[in-house]
Amino acid sequence: MFKAVDEELQKGSVGTERVVSNVGDSNSKEDQEKVEKKNIVVIDSADAKVVITGFSTYKGAIFGETAKLLVEITNKSDRAISVHADHISVDGVMADDVSFLDETVAAKKTAKTDITFDELLVEKGKEMPKFEEAIEGKFTIYDDQSYDTLIEKPFNVKLK
């Protein structure tokens, strides 16, 4: 595994680290996963904490291109919560049709999950986003039993 640490840190609590590794048994260039680690706290309330922990891209010979915005969700409350991401855009172009995140987290637990952008979901005649500038969207946290909205918060992750 190759690992290199960027010398520049972005403002606030954001750091980056690039990791490149082979996925599976293949050594082909197509089967390489690239990970850029981040630490962006989007939500930190009495009920929950949502941190964007990285961004990864993978191009496989079989399934094509996949990109993931890595997310860690901590449920600080005494009840189960559901976290949903929507209104997702990549480089200013809406990408709700090729991305998804819907995660339930038990009381006092942490989930490591992701917002996945999958080439298999791209409509015929359209392209996978290029992921050159930013990923934007909104996290909504619901009470898992009553479906009452607890928190809504937009996010914006700069990719370069």
Side-chain angles (χ1 to χ4, degrees):
M1 177 184 278
F2 170 75
K3 193 174 183 179
V5 179
D6 285 347
E7 293 179 13
E8 294 182 26
L9 294 177
Q10 296 178 11
K11 294 178 185 175
S13 63
V14 180
T16 62
E17 179 178 334
R18 297 185 199 288
V19 178
V20 179
S21 65
N22 283 337
V23 177
D25 295 327
S26 174
N27 286 323
S28 78
K29 286 185 178 181
E30 287 186 327
D31 287 336
Q32 295 278 319
E33 181 177 28
K34 296 177 184 174
V35 179
E36 183 175 335
K37 294 188 177 187
K38 296 186 176 291
N39 184 24
I40 302 171
V41 178
V42 178
I43 296 171
D44 194 358
S45 74
D47 289 317
K49 184 175 184 178
V50 177
V51 180
I52 295 172
T53 60
F55 177 71
S56 74
T57 55
Y58 169 75
K59 182 159 183 161
I62 297 172
F63 297 109
E65 186 177 355
T66 299
K68 294 180 181 183
L69 192 60
L70 308 174
V71 179
E72 183 175 287
I73 303 163
T74 302
N75 182 353
K76 299 178 183 179
S77 74
D78 293 326
R79 62 187 182 278
I81 60 171
S82 291
V83 179
H84 183 75
D86 58 2
H87 303 292
I88 307 291
S89 69
V90 177
D91 301 337
V93 178
M94 292 305 296
D96 275 335
D97 56 340
V98 297
S99 63
F100 54 91
L101 174 116
D102 195 7
E103 186 77 32
T104 300
V105 184
K108 305 291 184 188
K109 301 294 182 194
T110 298
K112 293 185 178 186
T113 187
D114 57 66
I115 301 172
T116 301
F117 302 86
D118 197 326
E119 189 172 37
L120 293 175
L121 300 175
V122 176
E123 291 179 32
K124 197 173 190 174
K126 292 188 178 181
E127 291 183 4
M128 182 77 165
K130 299 294 182 208
F131 303 100
E132 295 175 334
E133 296 172 25
I135 299 172
E136 299 175 84
K138 179 181 75 170
F139 286 114
T140 305
I141 300 177
Y142 303 93
D143 180 295
D144 192 51
Q145 296 298 310
S146 69
Y147 300 107
D148 290 338
T149 300
L150 303 173
I151 302 167
E152 286 185 318
K153 181 88 184 255
F155 65 88
N156 183 334
V157 177
K158 303 271 187 237
L159 297 174
K160 294 187 179 190

